[in-house]
Amino acid sequence: MTKHPLSAENIPNLLRKGKVKIAVIGLGRIGLPTAAAFARAGARVTGVDVKKEVVQKTNTGECWLTDELGLADLVRDVVRSGNLRATLEARDAIAEADFSIICVPTPVYETKTPDYSAVQKASRTLGKSLRRGSVVIVESTVGPGIVEDMVGPTIEDESGLRVGKDFGLVSCPERSDPGNIMQNMKTLPRIVGGVGPSWTDITVSLYEAALGVKAIRVSDPKTANAAKLTENLFRDVNIALANEFALLFEELGVDTIEVINACASKYNFMPHYPGIGVGGPCLPANSYYLISEAIKAGNIPYLIRMAREINDRMPDHAVELIEEALNEVGKTVRGSKIAMLGVAYKPNIKDVQLTPVERVITRLKEMGARLEIYDPMYRGEEVFGVKAKSSLEAAARGADCLVIGTAHDEFKHLDLEELSKLVNSRAGFVDARNVVSPSVVAKAGFAFKGVGRK
Ligand code: SAJ
């Protein structure tokens, strides 16, 4: 810990002199890039993680994340420079830290209630060795009020120190887009809300000096957390609206993609697209953080809840389209070989957390289908009980239906004529991610179905 009391003014200078020490709790998809970015800026960073393999890999300069552009090189460089090291043992890292940043996951339980156990555990660990004058920053996504009402009191209980008086408590929610995190880390403004303006100022100074991004001050942690959830729920609700249009326009014989692309010509229309559903560790979970706080406050957020229901229904709709496509070629799901192209929850990343494709695969198996999988991020790996093929052709060979589950770039250049020769006589083709042109697929002889397509 620097001997100089932290101030917004002296942070840039202390950083330059390598005098700022940071502990990052959780070296996951957000924590590791965050630790590496601060280390690049000159901070002495210790990453803490419960996974031995992550700690060992990091300390050899290796990066467990394979799909974040630029991260592997950065981790190698900052470990080699000595600015980043990883440990299983949090105590010393926190005791000497000027800033301790919580980047642990916040999933939801089966009951759709938030699971803050990792945040609670990190707060306890922090409380055990936190030093007076240091700052605790919460980047994990939580409901508004959780930082003030759970993290702060937990640290106070463990440490005997007082929030705002003896240590800083600040929310600076991560906003980076998985798959583009290193880019976002340099460009995306950060939202910072602390208990007390001076701690907010110190944290703003750290993020601006170290990451070179603009920081937006808000009045307190719960406002920062409300902003994070607002931007993610805005997306989830708009995707639900696009999915609702798709279900309706299919009935009306209108092509939803044609409609959305036409609407996108208007200045205030932000296009969102229908599909197989909403996956990932964020959107399918984040609504429930706000819903649980709302219910505590006696409020029922109807639209947010309905949006979740609509988006959660889309995998079953994809199964209906697969059935329809197979029926059109005189086949049924039972006994058919179905090739799932893409299992990741979004394009070009290696992540199947809460992917909507899993439900489709489970349903099809229950209905007696034989499943093949091809995903460029999972070649030859076991996913959802199926060994993924190492090539698209291998998955498509003898298939009765091809299904696009993820809009990976590779699927934007399909040779449909070639594929039509590999499949089992006339086959179905279901595009659940608006990747291919319906007419081109139909021209290649497939029975085409698409979410929201006519
Ligand atoms: N999706 C659609 N239609 C769309 C856009 C997305 O069906 O028009 C689907 C995607 O295929 C995916 C899911 O929604 O399955 C989520 O996609 P996403 O692009 O929102 O990806 P995430 O969850 O990886 O990242 C989001 C981002 N939030 C916003 O853009 C508001 C990211 O910036 C956040 O940092 C991240 O959540 C997070 O960590 O909260």
Side-chain angles (χ1 to χ4, degrees):
M1 172 151 191
T2 176
K3 47 191 175 306
H4 311 282
L6 292 178
S7 72
E9 295 66 38
N10 69 9
I11 294 278
N13 186 33
L14 291 172
L15 255 179
R16 266 191 303 282
K17 291 188 182 142
K19 289 197 178 321
V20 171
K21 290 197 172 172
I22 299 178
V24 174
I25 318 295
L27 292 177
R29 188 180 279 278
I30 296 298
L32 184 57
T34 301
F38 279 115
R40 173 176 52 200
R44 316 281 294 174
V45 182
T46 304
V48 181
D49 201 280
V50 290
K51 295 197 190 89
K52 206 163 170 207
E53 195 219 345
V54 167
V55 168
Q56 282 168 344
K57 264 198 169 179
T58 306
N59 283 333
T60 62
E62 264 187 272
C63 178
W64 73 268
L65 268 168
T66 56
D67 55 4
E68 290 294 346
L69 209 57
L71 181 59
D73 294 347
L74 179 58
V75 168
R76 183 199 59 226
D77 296 349
V78 290
V79 169
R80 198 175 284 163
S81 75
N83 275 7
L84 175 61
R85 70 180 191 89
T87 178
L88 291 164
E89 174 42 56
R91 181 178 290 271
D92 300 346
I94 292 164
E96 60 185 45
D98 300 297
F99 297 90
S100 292
I101 307 179
I102 298 180
C103 294
V104 295
T106 49
V108 286
Y109 293 112
E110 293 278 312
T111 54
K112 304 288 185 195
T113 49
D115 171 2
Y116 294 135
S117 57
V119 173
Q120 178 103 31
K121 187 161 169 268
S123 305
R124 273 196 210 301
T125 308
L126 274 164
K128 290 194 172 65
S129 49
L130 190 73
R131 301 260 305 249
R132 198 178 292 277
S134 68
V135 186
V136 174
I137 301 169
V138 181
E139 288 216 11
S140 299
T141 306
V142 295
I146 296 298
V147 170
E148 290 93 331
D149 304 340
M150 186 186 85
V151 175
T154 305
I155 296 173
E156 289 184 328
D157 288 353
E158 288 291 339
S159 65
L161 300 174
R162 312 299 311 154
V163 167
K165 183 169 163 296
D166 305 318
F167 69 95
L169 181 61
V170 178
S171 276
C172 179
E174 61 81 13
R175 306 175 81 196
S176 298
D177 185 20
N180 303 305
I181 291 181
M182 296 320 294
Q183 189 50 33
N184 287 172
M185 203 60 84
K186 288 188 213 145
T187 55
L188 210 52
R190 301 301 297 262
I191 298 172
V192 181
V195 178
S198 62
W199 299 109
T200 303
D201 292 347
I202 289 169
T203 307
V204 163
S205 176
L206 174 73
Y207 279 78
E208 292 193 341
L211 305 185
V213 290
K214 185 89 198 73
I216 297 155
R217 286 173 179 73
V218 294
S219 38
D220 50 32
K222 73 176 160 189
T223 305
N225 294 124
K228 165 67 189 190
L229 291 178
T230 299
E231 61 192 29
N232 269 11
L233 274 55
F234 171 89
R235 190 165 175 79
D236 196 45
V237 169
N238 278 289
I239 296 169
L241 184 56
N243 282 326
E244 184 142 61
F245 283 136
L247 297 173
L248 174 58
F249 288 162
E250 276 180 25
E251 304 300 330
L252 302 181
V254 171
D255 191 291
T256 313
I257 305 305
E258 199 179 350
V259 168
I260 291 172
N261 291 344
C263 296
S265 62
K266 182 142 191 209
Y267 62 91
N268 58 1
F269 182 87
M270 184 191 266
H272 291 78
Y273 292 92
I276 196 171
V278 172
C282 317
L283 269 60
N286 290 178
S287 304
Y288 300 107
Y289 309 163
L290 204 55
I291 290 171
S292 98
E293 297 312 313
I295 290 168
K296 278 187 221 163
N299 168 304
I300 310 263
Y302 294 103
L303 182 60
I304 293 166
R305 276 208 315 197
M306 182 48 74
R308 283 278 80 236
E309 279 178 36
I310 294 168
N311 289 336
D312 282 351
R313 212 186 297 156
M314 296 313 286
D316 291 340
H317 181 59
V319 171
E320 287 156 14
L321 293 176
I322 293 167
E323 270 187 292
E324 287 170 26
L326 283 166
N327 294 345
E328 216 171 287
V329 294
K331 298 172 183 174
T332 60
V333 172
R334 182 165 300 287
S336 285
K337 180 175 170 182
I338 298 175
M340 184 60 72
L341 309 181
V343 288
Y345 82 86
K346 72 173 193 180
N348 312 322
I349 68 164
K350 183 171 186 171
D351 195 332
V352 289
Q353 291 182 81
L354 300 176
T355 178
V357 179
E358 182 176 8
R359 173 149 178 84
V360 175
I361 289 175
T362 307
R363 288 279 321 281
L364 292 173
K365 280 184 183 169
E366 286 162 2
M367 295 162 76
R370 291 172 293 130
L371 267 295
E372 294 291 1
I373 285 177
Y374 172 69
D375 187 308
M377 308 305 265
Y378 289 91
R379 285 193 181 88
E381 293 184 37
E382 174 105 0
V383 192
F384 307 133
V386 179
K387 185 154 186 338
K389 292 294 185 192
S390 49
S391 75
L392 190 149
E393 290 69 26
R397 193 163 288 112
D400 299 294
C401 190
L402 304 179
V403 181
I404 296 188
T406 314
H408 289 306
D409 287 350
E410 179 180 331
F411 300 149
K412 294 183 178 137
H413 317 288
L414 294 178
D415 181 338
L416 292 156
E417 293 302 331
E418 258 325 289
L419 283 177
S420 69
K421 295 185 195 122
L422 287 172
V423 294
N424 178 15
S425 68
R426 186 153 183 248
F429 192 114
V430 174
D431 180 1
R433 282 295 186 199
N434 326 308
V435 174
V436 292
S437 136
S439 57
V440 176
V441 175
K443 204 159 135 276
F446 291 95
F448 177 83
K449 295 287 175 195
V451 177
R453 311 310 301 258
K454 69 175 179 188

